[in-house]
Amino acid sequence: MLSQTFTILNPSGFHARPTKVFVQAASAYPCKVNVIKGSKKVNGKSSLSMLTLGIQLNEEVTLEVDGEQEEQALQALGELLTKIFEE
């Protein structure tokens, strides 16, 4: 299992559009993907679960991946968490 903490840079936080992009990317990997904010841990392959975190600008979230292709998943999904999406 690998994990890393990332700071959200998108000015609007992680709303529906970036969440959809993240979930689609996470679903392409066979490993488990979890996103943790504070004490709440959710499935990173579920849009609804991701939206319940209410991730805002400059908040830190921890990405946790476990299983096949976890290193590639951590790198690619970490980049999406810190990406600034065009609105």
Side-chain angles (χ1 to χ4, degrees):
M1 178 181 350
L2 300 175
S3 67
Q4 187 173 342
T5 300
F6 298 91
T7 301
I8 304 303
L9 301 177
N10 191 40
S12 299
F14 236 63
H15 55 83
R17 185 168 165 261
T19 296
K20 179 182 176 186
V21 172
F22 181 88
V23 168
Q24 286 176 338
S27 296
Y29 292 96
C31 58
K32 290 182 181 180
V33 176
N34 292 308
V35 178
I36 305 162
K37 177 184 160 195
S39 62
K40 193 166 185 178
K41 179 177 181 176
V42 300
N43 179 356
K45 295 183 179 183
S46 165
S47 292
L48 186 57
S49 294
M50 287 288 293
L51 288 170
T52 65
L53 291 177
I55 303 169
Q56 299 297 317
L57 174 66
N58 293 325
E59 287 187 325
E60 289 189 343
V61 295
T62 301
L63 177 60
E64 186 178 84
V65 292
D66 186 22
E68 192 177 338
Q69 297 182 9
E70 63 187 15
E71 291 176 6
Q72 297 93 326
L74 183 67
Q75 181 179 351
L77 298 174
E79 288 174 9
L80 284 177
L81 285 174
T82 57
K83 182 177 179 181
I84 297 176
F85 292 84
E86 292 182 19
E87 300 301 325

Coordinates of all heavy atoms in Angstrom, one line a residue:
M1 N 0.9 -1.2 0.0 CA 0.0 0.0 0.0 C 0.9 1.2 0.0 O 1.9 1.3 0.7 CB -0.9 0.0 1.2 CG -1.7 1.3 1.2 SD -2.9 1.6 2.6 CE -3.0 0.1 3.5
L2 N 0.5 2.2 -0.8 CA 1.2 3.5 -0.9 C 0.2 4.6 -0.6 O -0.9 4.5 -0.9 CB 1.8 3.7 -2.3 CG 2.8 2.7 -2.8 CD1 3.1 3.0 -4.3 CD2 4.0 2.7 -2.0
S3 N 0.8 5.7 0.0 CA -0.1 6.8 0.3 C 0.7 8.1 0.2 O 1.9 8.1 0.5 CB -0.8 6.7 1.6 OG 0.1 6.8 2.7
Q4 N 0.1 9.2 -0.1 CA 0.8 10.5 -0.2 C -0.3 11.6 0.0 O -1.5 11.4 -0.4 CB 1.4 10.7 -1.5 CG 2.3 11.9 -1.6 CD 3.1 11.9 -2.9 OE1 3.3 10.9 -3.6 NE2 3.6 13.1 -3.3
T5 N 0.1 12.7 0.6 CA -0.8 13.8 0.9 C -0.6 14.9 -0.2 O 0.5 15.2 -0.5 CB -0.6 14.3 2.3 OG1 -0.8 13.3 3.3 CG2 -1.5 15.5 2.6
F6 N -1.7 15.4 -0.6 CA -1.7 16.4 -1.7 C -2.5 17.6 -1.2 O -3.5 17.5 -0.5 CB -2.3 15.9 -3.0 CG -1.5 14.7 -3.5 CD1 -1.8 13.4 -3.2 CD2 -0.4 14.9 -4.4 CE1 -1.1 12.3 -3.7 CE2 0.3 13.9 -5.0 CZ 0.0 12.6 -4.6
T7 N -2.1 18.8 -1.7 CA -2.9 20.0 -1.4 C -3.7 20.4 -2.7 O -3.1 20.4 -3.8 CB -1.9 21.2 -1.1 OG1 -1.2 20.8 0.1 CG2 -2.7 22.5 -0.8
I8 N -4.9 20.6 -2.5 CA -5.8 21.0 -3.6 C -5.6 22.4 -4.1 O -5.6 23.3 -3.3 CB -7.3 20.8 -3.2 CG1 -7.6 19.4 -2.7 CG2 -8.2 21.2 -4.4 CD1 -7.2 18.3 -3.7
L9 N -5.3 22.6 -5.4 CA -4.9 23.9 -6.0 C -6.0 24.5 -6.8 O -6.0 25.6 -7.2 CB -3.7 23.8 -6.8 CG -2.4 23.3 -6.0 CD1 -1.2 23.2 -7.0 CD2 -2.1 24.2 -4.9
N10 N -7.0 23.7 -7.2 CA -8.1 24.2 -8.0 C -8.9 25.2 -7.2 O -9.4 24.9 -6.1 CB -9.0 23.0 -8.4 CG -10.0 23.4 -9.5 OD1 -9.7 24.1 -10.4 ND2 -11.2 22.9 -9.4
P11 N -9.1 26.4 -7.7 CA -9.8 27.5 -7.0 C -11.2 27.1 -6.6 O -11.6 27.6 -5.5 CB -9.8 28.7 -8.0 CG -8.6 28.4 -8.9 CD -8.5 26.9 -9.0
S12 N -11.8 26.3 -7.3 CA -13.2 25.9 -7.0 C -13.3 24.6 -6.1 O -14.4 24.1 -5.9 CB -14.0 25.7 -8.3 OG -14.1 26.9 -9.0
G13 N -12.1 24.1 -5.8 CA -12.1 22.9 -5.0 C -12.4 21.7 -5.9 O -12.1 21.7 -7.1
F14 N -12.9 20.6 -5.3 CA -13.1 19.4 -6.1 C -14.6 19.2 -6.2 O -15.3 18.5 -5.5 CB -12.5 18.2 -5.4 CG -11.5 17.5 -6.3 CD1 -10.4 18.1 -6.8 CD2 -11.8 16.2 -6.7 CE1 -9.5 17.4 -7.6 CE2 -10.9 15.5 -7.5 CZ -9.8 16.1 -8.0
H15 N -15.2 19.9 -7.2 CA -16.6 19.8 -7.4 C -16.9 18.8 -8.5 O -16.1 17.9 -8.8 CB -17.2 21.2 -7.9 CG -16.5 21.8 -9.0 ND1 -16.8 21.5 -10.3 CD2 -15.4 22.7 -9.1 CE1 -15.9 22.1 -11.1 NE2 -15.1 22.8 -10.4
A16 N -18.1 18.8 -9.1 CA -18.5 17.7 -10.0 C -17.6 17.4 -11.2 O -17.3 16.2 -11.4 CB -19.9 18.0 -10.5
R17 N -17.1 18.4 -11.9 CA -16.3 18.1 -13.1 C -15.0 17.5 -12.7 O -14.6 16.5 -13.3 CB -16.1 19.4 -13.9 CG -15.4 19.2 -15.2 CD -15.5 20.4 -16.1 NE -14.6 20.3 -17.1 CZ -13.4 20.9 -17.1 NH1 -13.1 21.7 -16.1 NH2 -12.6 20.8 -18.1
P18 N -14.2 18.1 -11.8 CA -12.9 17.5 -11.5 C -13.1 16.1 -10.8 O -12.3 15.2 -11.0 CB -12.2 18.4 -10.6 CG -13.1 19.6 -10.3 CD -14.3 19.4 -11.2
T19 N -14.1 15.9 -10.1 CA -14.4 14.7 -9.5 C -14.7 13.6 -10.5 O -14.1 12.5 -10.4 CB -15.6 14.8 -8.5 OG1 -15.3 15.7 -7.4 CG2 -16.0 13.4 -7.9
K20 N -15.4 13.9 -11.6 CA -15.7 13.0 -12.6 C -14.4 12.6 -13.3 O -14.2 11.4 -13.6 CB -16.7 13.6 -13.7 CG -17.0 12.7 -14.8 CD -17.9 13.4 -15.8 CE -18.2 12.5 -17.0 NZ -18.9 13.1 -18.1
V21 N -13.6 13.5 -13.6 CA -12.3 13.2 -14.3 C -11.4 12.3 -13.4 O -10.9 11.3 -13.8 CB -11.5 14.5 -14.6 CG1 -10.1 14.2 -15.1 CG2 -12.3 15.4 -15.6
F22 N -11.4 12.6 -12.1 CA -10.6 11.8 -11.1 C -11.1 10.4 -11.1 O -10.4 9.4 -11.1 CB -10.6 12.5 -9.8 CG -9.8 11.7 -8.7 CD1 -8.5 12.0 -8.6 CD2 -10.4 10.7 -8.0 CE1 -7.7 11.3 -7.7 CE2 -9.6 10.0 -7.0 CZ -8.3 10.3 -6.9
V23 N -12.4 10.2 -10.9 CA -13.1 8.9 -10.8 C -12.8 8.1 -12.0 O -12.5 6.9 -11.9 CB -14.6 9.1 -10.4 CG1 -15.3 7.7 -10.6 CG2 -14.7 9.6 -9.0
Q24 N -13.0 8.7 -13.2 CA -12.7 8.0 -14.4 C -11.3 7.5 -14.5 O -11.0 6.3 -14.9 CB -13.0 8.8 -15.7 CG -14.5 9.0 -15.9 CD -14.8 10.0 -17.1 OE1 -14.0 10.8 -17.4 NE2 -16.0 9.9 -17.6
A25 N -10.3 8.3 -14.1 CA -8.9 7.9 -14.1 C -8.7 6.8 -13.1 O -8.0 5.8 -13.4 CB -8.0 9.1 -13.9
A26 N -9.2 7.0 -11.9 CA -9.0 6.0 -10.8 C -9.6 4.6 -11.2 O -9.0 3.6 -10.9 CB -9.7 6.5 -9.5
S27 N -10.7 4.6 -11.9 CA -11.4 3.4 -12.3 C -10.6 2.6 -13.4 O -10.8 1.4 -13.6 CB -12.8 3.7 -12.9 OG -13.6 4.2 -11.9
A28 N -9.6 3.3 -14.0 CA -8.8 2.6 -15.0 C -7.7 1.7 -14.4 O -7.1 0.9 -15.1 CB -8.1 3.7 -15.9
Y29 N -7.5 1.9 -13.1 CA -6.5 1.1 -12.4 C -7.1 0.0 -11.6 O -8.2 0.2 -11.0 CB -5.7 2.0 -11.4 CG -4.8 3.0 -12.2 CD1 -5.3 4.3 -12.4 CD2 -3.6 2.7 -12.7 CE1 -4.5 5.3 -13.1 CE2 -2.8 3.6 -13.3 CZ -3.3 4.9 -13.5 OH -2.5 5.8 -14.2
P30 N -6.5 -1.2 -11.6 CA -7.0 -2.4 -10.9 C -6.9 -2.3 -9.4 O -7.5 -3.1 -8.7 CB -6.2 -3.5 -11.5 CG -4.9 -2.9 -11.9 CD -5.3 -1.5 -12.4
C31 N -6.1 -1.4 -8.9 CA -5.9 -1.3 -7.4 C -7.0 -0.6 -6.7 O -7.8 0.1 -7.4 CB -4.5 -0.6 -7.2 SG -4.4 1.1 -7.8
K32 N -7.0 -0.7 -5.4 CA -8.0 0.0 -4.6 C -7.5 1.5 -4.5 O -6.3 1.7 -4.4 CB -8.1 -0.6 -3.2 CG -8.8 -1.9 -3.2 CD -8.9 -2.4 -1.7 CE -9.5 -3.8 -1.7 NZ -9.6 -4.2 -0.3
V33 N -8.4 2.4 -4.6 CA -8.1 3.8 -4.5 C -9.0 4.4 -3.4 O -10.2 4.4 -3.5 CB -8.3 4.6 -5.8 CG1 -8.1 6.0 -5.7 CG2 -7.5 4.0 -6.9
N34 N -8.4 5.0 -2.4 CA -9.1 5.7 -1.3 C -8.6 7.1 -1.2 O -7.4 7.4 -1.4 CB -8.9 5.0 0.0 CG -9.6 3.6 0.1 OD1 -10.8 3.5 -0.3 ND2 -8.9 2.6 0.4
V35 N -9.5 8.0 -0.9 CA -9.2 9.4 -0.6 C -9.6 9.7 0.8 O -10.7 9.4 1.2 CB -9.8 10.4 -1.7 CG1 -9.5 11.8 -1.4 CG2 -9.4 10.0 -3.1
I36 N -8.7 10.4 1.5 CA -8.9 10.6 2.9 C -8.8 12.1 3.2 O -7.8 12.8 2.8 CB -7.9 9.9 3.8 CG1 -7.9 8.4 3.5 CG2 -8.1 10.2 5.3 CD1 -6.7 7.7 4.0
K37 N -9.8 12.7 3.8 CA -9.8 14.1 4.3 C -10.2 14.1 5.7 O -11.4 13.7 6.1 CB -10.8 14.9 3.4 CG -10.9 16.4 3.9 CD -11.9 17.1 3.1 CE -12.3 18.4 3.9 NZ -13.5 19.0 3.4
G38 N -9.3 14.5 6.6 CA -9.6 14.5 8.0 C -9.8 13.1 8.5 O -8.9 12.2 8.2
S39 N -10.9 12.8 9.1 CA -11.1 11.4 9.6 C -12.0 10.6 8.6 O -12.4 9.5 8.9 CB -11.8 11.5 11.0 OG -13.0 12.1 10.9
K40 N -12.4 11.2 7.5 CA -13.3 10.5 6.5 C -12.5 9.9 5.4 O -11.7 10.6 4.7 CB -14.3 11.6 6.0 CG -15.4 10.9 5.3 CD -16.6 11.9 5.1 CE -17.8 11.2 4.5 NZ -18.9 12.1 4.3
K41 N -12.7 8.6 5.1 CA -12.1 7.9 4.1 C -13.1 7.4 3.1 O -14.1 6.7 3.6 CB -11.3 6.7 4.7 CG -10.5 5.9 3.8 CD -9.8 4.8 4.6 CE -9.0 3.9 3.7 NZ -8.2 2.9 4.6
V42 N -12.9 7.7 1.8 CA -13.9 7.2 0.8 C -13.3 6.5 -0.3 O -12.1 6.6 -0.6 CB -14.8 8.4 0.3 CG1 -15.5 9.1 1.4 CG2 -13.9 9.4 -0.5
N43 N -14.1 5.8 -1.1 CA -13.7 5.1 -2.3 C -13.4 6.1 -3.4 O -14.4 6.8 -3.8 CB -14.8 4.1 -2.7 CG -14.5 3.4 -4.0 OD1 -13.4 3.6 -4.6 ND2 -15.3 2.4 -4.3
G44 N -12.2 6.2 -3.9 CA -11.9 7.2 -4.9 C -12.4 6.8 -6.3 O -12.2 7.6 -7.3
K45 N -13.1 5.7 -6.4 CA -13.7 5.3 -7.7 C -15.2 5.6 -7.7 O -15.9 5.1 -8.6 CB -13.4 3.8 -8.0 CG -12.0 3.5 -8.1 CD -11.7 2.0 -8.5 CE -10.2 1.8 -8.7 NZ -10.0 0.4 -9.1
S46 N -15.7 6.3 -6.7 CA -17.1 6.6 -6.6 C -17.3 8.2 -6.6 O -16.8 8.8 -5.6 CB -17.7 6.0 -5.3 OG -18.9 6.6 -5.0
S47 N -18.0 8.7 -7.6 CA -18.2 10.1 -7.6 C -19.0 10.6 -6.4 O -18.6 11.6 -5.8 CB -19.0 10.5 -8.9 OG -18.2 10.3 -10.0
L48 N -20.0 9.9 -6.1 CA -20.8 10.4 -4.9 C -20.0 10.4 -3.6 O -20.1 11.3 -2.9 CB -22.0 9.4 -4.8 CG -23.1 9.8 -3.7 CD1 -23.6 11.3 -4.0 CD2 -24.2 8.9 -3.7
S49 N -19.2 9.4 -3.4 CA -18.4 9.3 -2.2 C -17.4 10.5 -2.2 O -17.2 11.1 -1.2 CB -17.6 8.0 -2.2 OG -18.5 6.9 -2.0
M50 N -16.8 10.7 -3.4 CA -15.8 11.8 -3.5 C -16.4 13.2 -3.2 O -15.9 14.0 -2.5 CB -15.2 11.8 -4.8 CG -14.2 10.7 -5.1 SD -12.6 10.9 -4.2 CE -12.0 12.4 -5.0
L51 N -17.6 13.4 -3.7 CA -18.3 14.7 -3.5 C -18.7 14.9 -2.0 O -18.7 16.0 -1.6 CB -19.5 14.8 -4.4 CG -19.2 15.0 -5.9 CD1 -20.5 14.8 -6.7 CD2 -18.6 16.3 -6.1
T52 N -18.9 13.8 -1.3 CA -19.2 14.0 0.2 C -18.1 14.5 1.0 O -18.3 15.0 2.1 CB -19.7 12.6 0.8 OG1 -18.6 11.7 0.8 CG2 -20.9 12.0 0.1
L53 N -16.9 14.5 0.5 CA -15.7 15.0 1.2 C -15.7 16.6 1.2 O -15.2 17.2 2.1 CB -14.4 14.5 0.6 CG -14.1 13.1 0.8 CD1 -12.8 12.7 0.1 CD2 -14.0 12.7 2.2
G54 N -16.4 17.2 0.2 CA -16.5 18.6 0.1 C -15.1 19.3 0.1 O -14.8 20.2 0.8
I55 N -14.2 18.7 -0.8 CA -12.8 19.2 -0.8 C -12.7 20.6 -1.4 O -13.3 20.9 -2.5 CB -12.0 18.2 -1.7 CG1 -12.0 16.8 -1.1 CG2 -10.5 18.7 -1.8 CD1 -11.5 15.7 -2.0
Q56 N -12.1 21.5 -0.7 CA -12.0 22.9 -1.1 C -10.5 23.3 -1.4 O -9.6 22.6 -1.1 CB -12.5 23.8 0.0 CG -14.0 23.6 0.3 CD -14.9 23.9 -0.8 OE1 -14.7 24.9 -1.5 NE2 -15.9 23.0 -1.1
L57 N -10.3 24.5 -2.0 CA -9.0 25.0 -2.3 C -8.1 25.0 -1.0 O -8.6 25.4 0.1 CB -9.2 26.5 -2.8 CG -7.9 27.3 -3.0 CD1 -7.1 26.6 -4.2 CD2 -8.2 28.7 -3.3
N58 N -6.9 24.6 -1.2 CA -5.8 24.6 -0.2 C -6.0 23.5 0.9 O -5.3 23.5 1.9 CB -5.6 26.0 0.4 CG -5.0 26.9 -0.6 OD1 -4.2 26.6 -1.4 ND2 -5.4 28.2 -0.5
E59 N -7.0 22.7 0.8 CA -7.2 21.6 1.8 C -6.3 20.5 1.4 O -6.0 20.3 0.2 CB -8.6 21.1 1.8 CG -9.6 22.1 2.5 CD -11.0 21.6 2.7 OE1 -11.5 20.8 1.8 OE2 -11.6 22.0 3.7
E60 N -5.9 19.7 2.4 CA -5.0 18.6 2.1 C -5.8 17.3 2.2 O -6.7 17.1 3.0 CB -3.9 18.5 3.2 CG -2.9 19.5 3.0 CD -1.7 19.3 3.9 OE1 -1.8 18.6 4.9 OE2 -0.6 20.0 3.7
V61 N -5.6 16.4 1.2 CA -6.2 15.1 1.2 C -5.1 14.1 1.0 O -4.0 14.3 0.4 CB -7.2 15.0 0.0 CG1 -8.4 15.9 0.3 CG2 -6.6 15.2 -1.3
T62 N -5.3 12.9 1.5 CA -4.4 11.8 1.4 C -4.9 10.8 0.4 O -6.1 10.4 0.5 CB -4.1 11.1 2.7 OG1 -3.6 12.1 3.6 CG2 -3.1 10.0 2.6
L63 N -4.1 10.5 -0.6 CA -4.5 9.5 -1.6 C -3.8 8.2 -1.2 O -2.6 8.1 -0.9 CB -4.0 9.9 -2.9 CG -4.2 9.0 -4.1 CD1 -5.6 8.7 -4.3 CD2 -3.5 9.5 -5.4
E64 N -4.6 7.1 -1.1 CA -4.1 5.8 -0.6 C -4.4 4.8 -1.7 O -5.6 4.7 -2.2 CB -4.8 5.4 0.7 CG -4.4 4.2 1.3 CD -5.2 4.0 2.6 OE1 -6.3 3.5 2.6 OE2 -4.7 4.4 3.7
V65 N -3.4 4.1 -2.2 CA -3.6 3.1 -3.3 C -3.1 1.8 -2.8 O -2.0 1.7 -2.2 CB -3.0 3.5 -4.6 CG1 -3.8 4.7 -5.2 CG2 -1.5 3.9 -4.5
D66 N -3.7 0.7 -3.2 CA -3.3 -0.6 -2.7 C -3.6 -1.7 -3.8 O -4.7 -1.8 -4.2 CB -4.0 -1.0 -1.4 CG -3.4 -2.3 -0.8 OD1 -2.3 -2.7 -1.1 OD2 -4.2 -2.9 0.0
G67 N -2.5 -2.3 -4.3 CA -2.7 -3.4 -5.3 C -1.9 -3.2 -6.5 O -0.9 -2.4 -6.6
E68 N -2.3 -3.9 -7.6 CA -1.6 -3.9 -8.9 C -1.6 -2.4 -9.4 O -2.6 -1.7 -9.4 CB -2.4 -4.8 -9.8 CG -1.7 -5.1 -11.1 CD -2.4 -6.1 -11.9 OE1 -3.3 -6.8 -11.4 OE2 -2.2 -6.1 -13.2
Q69 N -0.5 -2.0 -9.9 CA -0.2 -0.7 -10.6 C -0.4 0.4 -9.6 O -0.7 1.6 -10.0 CB -1.1 -0.5 -11.8 CG -0.9 -1.5 -12.9 CD -1.8 -1.2 -14.1 OE1 -2.5 -0.2 -14.2 NE2 -1.8 -2.1 -15.1
E70 N -0.1 0.2 -8.3 CA -0.3 1.2 -7.3 C 0.6 2.4 -7.5 O 0.2 3.6 -7.3 CB -0.3 0.7 -5.9 CG 1.1 0.1 -5.5 CD 1.1 -0.6 -4.2 OE1 0.0 -0.9 -3.6 OE2 2.2 -0.8 -3.7
E71 N 1.8 2.2 -7.9 CA 2.8 3.3 -8.1 C 2.3 4.2 -9.2 O 2.4 5.4 -9.1 CB 4.2 2.7 -8.4 CG 4.8 2.1 -7.2 CD 6.2 1.4 -7.5 OE1 6.7 1.6 -8.6 OE2 6.7 0.8 -6.6
Q72 N 1.9 3.6 -10.3 CA 1.4 4.4 -11.5 C 0.1 5.2 -11.1 O 0.0 6.3 -11.4 CB 1.1 3.5 -12.7 CG 2.3 2.8 -13.3 CD 2.5 1.4 -12.7 OE1 2.2 1.1 -11.5 NE2 3.0 0.5 -13.5
A73 N -0.7 4.5 -10.3 CA -2.0 5.2 -9.9 C -1.7 6.3 -9.0 O -2.3 7.4 -9.1 CB -2.9 4.1 -9.2
L74 N -0.8 6.2 -8.0 CA -0.4 7.2 -7.1 C 0.1 8.5 -7.8 O -0.3 9.6 -7.6 CB 0.6 6.8 -6.1 CG 0.9 7.8 -5.0 CD1 -0.3 8.0 -4.1 CD2 2.1 7.3 -4.2
Q75 N 0.9 8.2 -8.8 CA 1.5 9.4 -9.5 C 0.5 10.1 -10.4 O 0.3 11.3 -10.3 CB 2.7 8.9 -10.5 CG 3.3 10.0 -11.2 CD 4.4 9.6 -12.1 OE1 4.9 8.4 -12.0 NE2 4.9 10.5 -12.9
A76 N -0.3 9.3 -11.2 CA -1.3 9.9 -12.1 C -2.4 10.6 -11.3 O -2.8 11.7 -11.7 CB -1.8 8.8 -13.0
L77 N -2.9 9.9 -10.3 CA -4.1 10.5 -9.6 C -3.6 11.6 -8.7 O -4.4 12.6 -8.5 CB -4.8 9.4 -8.8 CG -5.3 8.2 -9.6 CD1 -5.9 7.1 -8.7 CD2 -6.4 8.7 -10.6
G78 N -2.4 11.6 -8.2 CA -1.9 12.7 -7.4 C -1.8 14.0 -8.3 O -2.1 15.1 -7.8
E79 N -1.4 13.8 -9.5 CA -1.3 14.9 -10.4 C -2.7 15.5 -10.7 O -2.9 16.7 -10.8 CB -0.7 14.5 -11.8 CG 0.8 14.3 -11.7 CD 1.4 13.7 -13.0 OE1 0.7 13.7 -14.0 OE2 2.6 13.3 -12.9
L80 N -3.7 14.7 -10.8 CA -5.1 15.2 -10.9 C -5.6 15.9 -9.7 O -6.3 16.9 -9.8 CB -6.1 14.0 -11.3 CG -6.0 13.5 -12.7 CD1 -6.9 12.3 -12.8 CD2 -6.3 14.5 -13.7
L81 N -5.2 15.5 -8.5 CA -5.6 16.2 -7.3 C -5.1 17.6 -7.2 O -5.7 18.5 -6.7 CB -5.2 15.4 -6.1 CG -6.0 14.1 -5.8 CD1 -5.4 13.4 -4.6 CD2 -7.5 14.4 -5.5
T82 N -3.9 17.8 -7.8 CA -3.3 19.1 -7.7 C -3.5 19.9 -9.0 O -3.0 21.1 -9.0 CB -1.8 19.0 -7.4 OG1 -1.1 18.2 -8.4 CG2 -1.6 18.4 -6.0
K83 N -4.1 19.4 -9.9 CA -4.4 20.1 -11.2 C -5.4 21.2 -11.0 O -6.3 21.1 -10.3 CB -4.9 19.1 -12.3 CG -5.0 19.7 -13.6 CD -5.5 18.6 -14.6 CE -5.7 19.3 -16.0 NZ -6.1 18.3 -17.0
I84 N -5.1 22.3 -11.8 CA -6.1 23.4 -11.8 C -6.9 23.2 -13.1 O -6.4 23.3 -14.2 CB -5.4 24.8 -11.8 CG1 -4.6 25.0 -10.5 CG2 -6.4 25.9 -12.0 CD1 -3.8 26.2 -10.4
F85 N -8.2 22.9 -12.9 CA -9.1 22.7 -14.0 C -9.7 24.0 -14.6 O -10.0 24.9 -13.8 CB -10.3 21.8 -13.6 CG -9.9 20.4 -13.3 CD1 -9.4 20.1 -12.0 CD2 -9.9 19.4 -14.2 CE1 -9.0 18.8 -11.7 CE2 -9.5 18.1 -13.9 CZ -9.1 17.8 -12.7
E86 N -9.7 24.1 -15.9 CA -10.3 25.3 -16.5 C -11.8 25.2 -16.3 O -12.5 24.2 -16.6 CB -10.0 25.3 -18.0 CG -8.5 25.6 -18.3 CD -8.2 25.7 -19.7 OE1 -9.2 25.9 -20.5 OE2 -7.1 25.5 -20.1
E87 N -12.4 26.3 -15.8 CA -13.8 26.3 -15.5 C -14.6 26.8 -16.7 O -14.3 27.6 -17.4 CB -14.1 27.2 -14.3 CG -13.4 26.8 -13.1 CD -13.7 25.4 -12.6 OE1 -14.9 25.0 -12.8 OE2 -12.9 24.7 -12.1

